[in-house]
Amino acid sequence: MKLLNKANKKINFRLYSIASVLVLNGYLSSVAIAAPEEIQVYLDDFTEAGKIGLDLHSNYIVSGQQSTRHQLRLTPELSYGINDHWEAASYFLTLKNPDGSVDTNGVKLRARWRPNVPSPASPFYWAVNFEVGQLAKTYYQDQTSGEVKLIGVWKTDPWTLGVNLNLDRALKSNPSEAATSEIDTKIAYQVREGLQLGIENYAFLGPLHNAQDQSQINVSNYLVADFDSGKWDFNVGIGHVSGQSTDKTVLKAIIGFPF
């Protein structure tokens, strides 16, 4: 009888362990994170005072989970240079599904401030970007979002190094999503006039309230090229995403339209 009881306990423990693993995997799948609408490390580019700028951010999911594979995300960004220290912009989030249907995921507004205009005499530059958004619930559970982005850039020919620290939080009193952080970096080498090759890294660190929580961490690494053709500007790259993300291989492009 004792042997039978021990055997039953072992079986129950194993069943409990299997169930726990299945529940945990289901939870991690539910919080898996897709690539953002804007895959970009902010540097010292700034819309000229009194001028309008237009960029098209796009990324295509080559491989990943069934829910996002072969999605095309398109985000037009319209910007305006208020003066030498302030720039304002708006984003319009759209998504084309593999079946051809198109979803609109909301609108974001941002304002960027810098204390000084970049100068050849100083290799270091910094700025702060503020962003708010009204988003579709299927895209972001809390629908209203806010972000503060701290921007640092160091340049010495032919190298450029950029670092962004992003702090994100829902703009409501009792959000269902926790405040999160992300560190983005870029190192680029100027091969010739009008052409840079580099590496971009996007490290999503998950909730701020629990630094030990590894469940939502994901890291993306992109090989990128920045170049111009006439008055057109391009940033193109291919990246791999590891960790809790629905995407794995991503193609991205940012196209700057001439005005």
Side-chain angles (χ1 to χ4, degrees), residues 108-259:
K108 289 185 176 183
L109 303 175
R110 69 167 179 83
R112 181 163 34 166
W113 172 82
R114 63 184 181 184
N116 298 302
V117 177
S119 169
S122 175
F124 185 71
Y125 165 94
W126 68 276
V128 184
N129 189 76
F130 308 92
E131 185 177 281
V132 296
Q134 181 65 45
L135 308 172
K137 194 168 186 178
T138 53
Y139 182 81
Y140 185 67
Q141 185 68 26
D142 288 307
Q143 295 182 277
T144 58
S145 67
E147 178 187 86
V148 175
K149 184 192 296 285
L150 305 179
I151 305 163
V153 183
W154 182 75
K155 283 188 173 183
T156 178
D157 289 337
W159 294 97
T160 297
L161 174 64
V163 180
N164 298 168
L165 171 61
N166 305 330
L167 303 174
D168 295 86
R169 188 186 187 279
L171 298 179
K172 58 192 308 185
S173 55
N174 296 300
S176 58
E177 302 279 348
T180 60
S181 63
E182 178 175 319
I183 297 177
D184 305 332
T185 58
K186 177 171 183 169
I187 184 168
Y189 179 84
Q190 184 169 323
V191 178
R192 58 173 172 79
E193 185 68 27
L195 174 62
Q196 281 190 334
L197 300 178
I199 298 173
E200 295 177 358
N201 174 271
Y202 301 86
F204 181 79
L205 304 179
L208 286 172
H209 69 270
N210 186 1
Q212 303 303 315
D213 184 7
Q214 304 293 306
S215 65
Q216 293 191 39
I217 290 177
N218 73 70
V219 177
S220 307
N221 291 289
Y222 286 80
L223 295 175
V224 297
D226 293 273
F227 58 94
D228 54 58
S229 177
K231 294 183 178 181
W232 296 75
D233 296 318
F234 298 89
N235 167 269
V236 298
I238 181 170
H240 176 75
V241 187
S242 60
Q244 293 304 315
S245 174
T246 56
D247 308 330
K248 292 306 173 187
T249 303
V250 181
L251 297 176
K252 71 136 180 170
I254 304 172
I255 304 172
F257 289 75
F259 269 90

